[in-house]
């Protein structure tokens, strides 16, 4: 009797072939480690210790499912989420939908440019307004790479920046490990007053980001196209699961590291109310190298995320309105609100947190159509969501919407 053994070289070739197809989720994952995350997570850890660890875990689990559904929509239909919305909406609805999406895009850009400006101030003592301008210029250079050389080189640059972000924020946790029992205790869902709800909404808004939901459908479509071959399509969907899972695992680890670092190093300190003061506290507690890595991670976060955000905004406009503004021109327009905030000397950390709350309110507008479309058998065919997937996706939408309503109530009543 003869037996056959797998050829190791053939297995290696298959792994390399699959690895080459990874990347779109890593670009989308930049949205999950942007300066808004830094502000929200560090503020949550410094003010409430380990209380909101559960928000990080839940938000990243939700994000993984949402990003896969967006990627699946692009792969199966060959259209982006904004394009599918456009095809199924009346003109007034499209315009209103685009208006809220643009508001969300402006909030996104504000967070990213302000974050880059803060990082440049920490590293080189540049004035915040000058740092905002430098961040905008560098983001234009990154967008030029995408415009002239295509998506793959852009992906490589963004993945490199993601690696820098990961090292910058995970380093503090490695240098001074947090309490394991307190971390486990933070997995119990609970709040402590209106401010904790505000920060939880900001953390979710910074993690499950609307523009990333829209963008991922375009990233997978542009990278892989729409295959008519069933076997190829199934293979791409399987690889996309790995792509999303790996990218979100990295993003989740970075977010958790931010909060744990703040809870362990900064918790209980009365003088930590901004990213700048958190940076100073880290320098005092863990040394100058830890503070340097934190600032470098923040800078990489701002540069990468503002480029991805501008890319997403252009895609949303083109998908909904069939109008295209040159990407660099759009970059200039969306840079203005952030520069106004910096020029007006508004507290940049507070501006970052409020921008993330605005993003949280925009999530249902992206998430509800995504769940509806991916649950539509006429649109998705055999790749339609399973009932359990649909139920989980609707639960995510309900949780986020309920949190937003609770946030409004607590803010209005001052509870």
């Amino acid at each position: 009797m003869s037996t056959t053994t797998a050829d190791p070289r053939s297995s290696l070739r298959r792994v390399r072939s699959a690895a080459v197809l990874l990347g779109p989720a890593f670009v989308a994952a930049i949205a999950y480690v942007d300066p808004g995350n830094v502000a929200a997570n560090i503020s949550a850890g410094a003010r409430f210790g380990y209380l909101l660890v559960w928000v990080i875990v839940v938000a990243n689990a939700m994000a993984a499912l949402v990003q896969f559904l967006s990627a699946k929509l692009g792969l199966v239909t060959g259209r982006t989420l904004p394009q599918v919305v456009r095809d199924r909406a009346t003109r007034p609805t499209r315009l209103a939908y685009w208006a809220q999406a643009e508001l969300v895009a402006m909030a996104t850009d504000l967070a990213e440019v302000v974050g880059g400006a803060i990082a440049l101030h920490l590293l080189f003592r540049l004035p915040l307004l000058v740092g905002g301008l430098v961040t905008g210029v560098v983001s234009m250079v990154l967008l030029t790479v995408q415009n002239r050389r295509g998506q793959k080189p852009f992906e490589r640059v963004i993945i490199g920046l993601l690696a820098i972000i990961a090292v910058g924020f995970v380093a503090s946790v490695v240098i001074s490990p947090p309490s394991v029992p307190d971390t486990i205790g933070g997995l119990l869902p609970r709040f402590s007053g209106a401010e904790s709800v505000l920060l939880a909404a900001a953390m979710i808004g910074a993690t499950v980001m609307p523009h990333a939901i829209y963008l991922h459908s375009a990233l997978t479509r542009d990278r892989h196209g729409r295959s008519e071959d069933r076997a190829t399509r199934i293979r791409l969907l399987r690889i996309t699961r790995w792509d999303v899972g790996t990218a979100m695992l990295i993003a989740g680890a970075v977010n958790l590291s931010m909060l744990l670092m703040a809870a362990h190093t900064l918790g209980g300190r009365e003088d930590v109310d901004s990213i700048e003061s958190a940076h100073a506290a880290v320098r005092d507690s863990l040394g100058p190298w830890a503070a340097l890595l934190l600032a470098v991670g923040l800078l990489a976060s701002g540069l990468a995320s503002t480029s991805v955000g501008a890319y997403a905004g252009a895609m949303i406009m083109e998908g909904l309105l069939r109008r295209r503004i040159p990407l660099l021109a759009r970059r200039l327009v969306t840079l203005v609100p952030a520069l106004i905030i910096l020029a007006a000397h508004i507290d940049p950390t507070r501006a970052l947190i409020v921008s993330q709350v605005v993003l949280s309110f925009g999530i249902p507008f992206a998430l509800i159509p995504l769940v509806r479309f991916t649950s539509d058998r006429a649109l998705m065919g055999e790749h339609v969501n399973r009932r359990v997937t649909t139920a989980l996706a609707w639960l995510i939408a309900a949780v986020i919407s309920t949190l937003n309503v609770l946030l409004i109530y607590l803010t209005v009543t001052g509870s």
Side-chain angles (χ1 to χ4, degrees), residues 176-323:
S176 181
S179 166
V180 174
D182 288 340
T183 301
I184 295 174
L187 295 174
L188 177 65
R190 62 196 188 280
F191 295 108
S192 179
E195 186 67 16
S196 68
V197 178
L198 174 67
L199 283 171
M203 292 161 70
I204 290 177
T207 303
V208 187
M209 296 191 74
H211 79 279
I213 299 174
Y214 297 122
L215 179 62
H216 208 153
S217 58
L219 291 171
T220 52
R221 180 205 62 179
D222 294 344
R223 178 68 122 80
H224 305 305
R226 181 175 185 268
S227 176
E228 299 294 339
D229 179 67
R230 180 176 181 273
T232 301
R233 193 164 57 246
I234 290 174
R235 177 172 177 266
L236 288 174
L237 286 170
R238 183 171 62 250
I239 292 171
T240 297
R241 288 190 185 93
W242 282 100
D243 192 28
V244 171
T246 305
M248 297 316 305
L249 183 63
I250 294 172
V254 172
N255 280 315
L256 187 58
S257 295
M258 295 176 194
L259 187 142
L260 294 180
M261 178 275 293
H264 177 60
T265 307
L266 313 177
R269 293 187 57 150
E270 298 293 334
D271 58 341
V272 180
D273 57 359
S274 66
I275 291 179
E276 294 95 326
S277 58
H279 177 264
V282 168
R283 184 182 60 235
D284 294 341
S285 301
L286 303 180
W289 282 106
L292 175 63
L293 288 171
L294 177 67
V296 170
L298 178 63
L299 178 59
S301 170
L303 296 177
S305 55
T306 191
S307 305
V308 172
Y311 182 14
M315 181 276 301
I316 292 168
M317 172 179 278
E318 182 180 0
L320 286 171
L321 303 183
R322 288 195 177 96
R323 293 184 180 180

Side-chain angles (χ1 to χ4, degrees), residues 283-370:
R283 184 182 60 235
D284 294 341
S285 301
L286 303 180
W289 282 106
L292 175 63
L293 288 171
L294 177 67
V296 170
L298 178 63
L299 178 59
S301 170
L303 296 177
S305 55
T306 191
S307 305
V308 172
Y311 182 14
M315 181 276 301
I316 292 168
M317 172 179 278
E318 182 180 0
L320 286 171
L321 303 183
R322 288 195 177 96
R323 293 184 180 180
R324 177 180 293 183
I325 294 177
L327 205 52
L328 297 184
R330 182 182 179 85
R331 165 72 286 183
L332 289 172
V333 171
T334 56
L335 190 61
V336 172
L339 296 180
I340 291 175
I341 292 291
L342 294 173
H345 301 290
I346 295 172
D347 179 10
T349 300
R350 191 65 181 177
L352 282 173
I353 294 174
V354 172
S355 73
Q356 302 312 294
V357 176
V358 173
L359 294 181
S360 185
F361 283 99
I363 294 169
F365 291 97
L367 186 53
I368 291 174
L370 176 65

Side-chain angles (χ1 to χ4, degrees), residues 19 74 174 193 263 304 377:
V174 174
R377 183 171 294 277

